[in-house]
Amino acid sequence: MSQTPRNTQPFVGTRDRFGPELRQRDYAQSVLAQYAHTRGYDRLEVPALERKASFSRQVVGASPWPEWNPKGVFELDVPDYGSGHTRTHQNTPAVLIPEGTVSVARWLASVLPTQTLPLKVFYDLPCWRNEAVDTLSQGKAREFRQFGAEILGVASAAADAEIITFIDGALHALGAPENSVRVRISDVGLFRALSEHSGFEETTTIAVKECLDALAECRAGKDSDRATDLSARLDALLANCPAETVERWQAMAHHDSGDVDSHLLATLDDVAPGHLGRLASMAHALRKAGLNAVVDLGVVRSHEYYTGLAFEVDVVLPDASFVEIAGGGRYDHLIGHFASDGPGRVPASGFAFGIERLLAVMDACGTFADAPTHQRAHHFGPSTADRLLIPEPTGDPVGDYLRAHASTTGNSNGQRVDLWVGEATDTDAIHRYAQARQIPETASC
């Protein structure tokens, strides 16, 4: 008697994994977790299910992908059954999480009264996005993993610098060669100010943002043959704008000096005074610390919740380039959307890696060619670090942070070192932080 064939294949855009690939992923995740622990970060795990309301456009903004657009996420109704599953108390609209940051923000809002800020957390999560099936590729799937780190409750630019040095150090720990990491930085605040100054409606703002972000990818080396069509699309969007407005947007979209040059200052500085100066200072400080930082005002990110510094990270090798293997920035208003009884504005900065993209980078770097060794130190006590290092303040928080960070490179001797990035410099605030994290030793640098 013949049997009905069974479909043994997983959903399109998802796949079964087994053997060497999972061993490689396990290794990458263990290196990242260990690296985070050595810098005073504690792990956070959030559920795969999140309320659909957390991804409403009132919370995450108006960009149509991948958050509030119902076509971009996997939606489901979660019934809360009573005893014996005989009746339903309520049905809650939910989604499978498409990224980690929103759930991190929701979690912090739920624990604000009990936490001493700042908080440094990292996460390693499965994520799902309902990508169009004809756009799927090796690097773009419907199910993937994210590793991210966030500093919550700090407005200082030192926290932004820490997130960027975290990425750079993590990539080197995974096998990326020296001088291969490139960080492209921008300021979303400048984009927002120019959009408002130009009188753009929401749909135009989103369309211009998508053009700028895609042109930045082209400059970084990703599908650069799109640049001509993207430029023509941007020209069409600006066709009815005054000449001065067109000049400003063209400066945003096409400058390629990698720095805040005199033309940018002359064209854009009056739109959002101070933004370009702070961006130039950040780039200079990062370069002075040995990082390859490039200013590109097209890096505006697709997520609407970013408010200030934004960045994308590439790994550039002699024979291959990996564009946007990490991205992130500052999001100072997102947490406040969840904190009805808390502060309306909780500053935060963070980033996320796509683990699958990382594995491709590690393979190209030869990380898996020689059996990698990784010393693991497990800490089961309540302390998040062995030592808290406080930079001596000089009035330059980014420079102070980077100077302190340089003193820890290669000198940790296996210790977990947490670098202070809070705005407060009084001993009481620092003592409260160290006490809340049960860090036994503090030192100035």
Side-chain angles (χ1 to χ4, degrees):
M1 182 177 178
S2 63
Q3 293 183 337
T4 303
R6 295 181 178 179
N7 189 345
T8 60
Q9 298 303 308
F11 278 100
V12 174
T14 69
R15 60 192 183 87
D16 302 314
R17 291 175 169 87
F18 175 77
E21 179 187 2
L22 285 184
R23 293 199 299 273
Q24 291 177 0
R25 192 177 80 182
D26 289 345
Y27 174 74
Q29 290 169 313
S30 68
V31 171
L32 289 169
Q34 176 64 18
Y35 182 76
H37 283 305
T38 64
R39 295 186 61 148
Y41 289 69
D42 234 352
R43 181 170 182 151
L44 170 67
E45 186 170 283
V46 296
L49 284 174
E50 186 69 58
R51 289 177 181 83
K52 183 181 175 183
S54 296
F55 290 93
S56 68
R57 62 184 297 162
Q58 289 77 22
V59 175
V60 299
S63 290
W65 182 91
E67 284 86 11
W68 65 263
N69 184 349
K71 295 179 181 178
V73 294
F74 289 101
E75 291 189 7
L76 63 161
D77 275 346
V78 178
D80 293 335
Y81 291 115
S83 177
H85 291 73
T86 56
R87 67 187 180 94
T88 303
H89 293 299
Q90 65 177 4
N91 284 331
T92 304
V95 299
L96 293 174
I97 57 172
E99 54 118 64
T101 302
V102 171
S103 293
V104 171
R106 189 262 309 151
W107 167 81
L108 180 64
S110 73
V111 299
L112 267 176
T114 65
Q115 294 297 319
T116 300
L117 299 177
L119 270 177
K120 296 180 177 180
V121 304
F122 74 96
Y123 58 85
D124 178 359
L125 302 169
C127 300
W128 295 266
R129 292 179 184 167
N130 197 3
E131 305 281 4
V133 294
D134 54 357
T135 67
L136 298 173
S137 65
Q138 183 76 11
K140 188 179 190 180
R142 295 162 101 180
E143 181 182 29
F144 58 96
R145 294 194 74 89
Q146 270 192 352
F147 175 95
E150 318 281 341
I151 302 177
L152 309 167
V154 180
S156 170
D160 302 327
E162 160 136 343
I163 289 293
I164 290 172
T165 63
F166 185 111
I167 299 168
D168 182 71
L171 285 169
H172 294 314
L174 292 167
E178 291 296 321
N179 304 315
S180 64
V181 180
R182 176 178 64 198
V183 184
R184 294 176 284 117
I185 66 173
S186 182
D187 187 331
V188 173
L190 181 60
F191 171 84
R192 289 175 180 271
L194 184 53
S195 297
E196 183 177 348
H197 189 274
S198 304
F200 285 168
E201 295 181 352
E202 182 181 279
T203 54
T204 303
T205 299
I206 292 171
V208 170
K209 176 195 281 192
E210 291 176 341
C211 284
L212 262 62
D213 204 44
L215 282 166
E217 290 179 347
C218 292
R219 276 190 294 276
K222 181 180 178 181
D223 300 330
S224 54
D225 55 346
R226 299 174 296 160
T228 300
D229 288 343
L230 288 167
S231 296
R233 190 185 310 167
L234 181 61
D235 291 343
L237 290 167
L238 302 175
N240 296 321
C241 295
E244 184 182 42
T245 299
V246 173
E247 182 183 9
R248 284 170 166 160
W249 282 112
Q250 295 293 355
M252 285 275 291
H254 296 300
H255 92 280
D256 58 3
S257 69
D259 212 338
V260 177
D261 52 45
S262 57
H263 176 66
L264 283 183
L265 286 169
T267 308
L268 293 167
D269 197 40
D270 64 324
V271 174
H275 283 254
L276 286 173
R278 288 191 293 271
L279 193 59
S281 295
M282 175 66 81
H284 175 74
L286 292 173
R287 290 177 196 140
K288 187 177 178 181
L291 284 81
N292 180 13
V294 177
V295 174
D296 188 334
L297 299 185
V299 178
V300 290
R301 310 287 293 148
S302 61
H303 295 3
E304 192 82 357
Y305 50 66
Y306 289 115
T307 57
L309 183 79
F311 56 82
E312 292 173 351
V313 181
D314 316 316
V315 173
V316 182
L317 304 173
D319 300 322
S321 292
F322 296 86
V323 175
E324 198 185 345
I325 61 161
R330 177 159 288 280
Y331 53 100
D332 285 347
H333 304 306
L334 180 61
I335 296 166
H337 286 293
F338 296 100
S340 58
D341 296 324
R345 179 180 181 273
V346 181
S349 190
F351 88 98
F353 283 128
I355 290 290
E356 286 78 7
R357 295 184 186 184
L358 270 187
L359 295 180
V361 173
M362 293 168 70
D363 190 39
C365 291
T367 303
F368 303 125
D370 304 316
T373 58
H374 181 52
Q375 298 297 322
R376 301 182 186 181
H378 296 280
H379 300 272
F380 301 109
S383 69
T384 60
D386 302 304
R387 188 159 59 110
L388 176 64
L389 194 61
I390 303 102
E392 291 284 356
T394 67
D396 175 13
V398 173
D400 296 341
Y401 165 79
L402 290 170
R403 185 186 68 254
H405 175 261
S407 73
T408 67
T409 304
N411 297 319
S412 65
N413 297 319
Q415 276 197 326
R416 298 169 297 159
V417 179
D418 186 343
L419 276 169
W420 173 253
V421 293
E423 294 97 330
T425 57
D426 60 282
T427 55
D428 286 344
I430 294 169
H431 176 72
R432 285 194 300 271
Y433 178 85
Q435 190 174 44
R437 309 288 176 270
Q438 299 196 37
I439 302 173
E441 179 186 345
T442 61
S444 297
C445 175

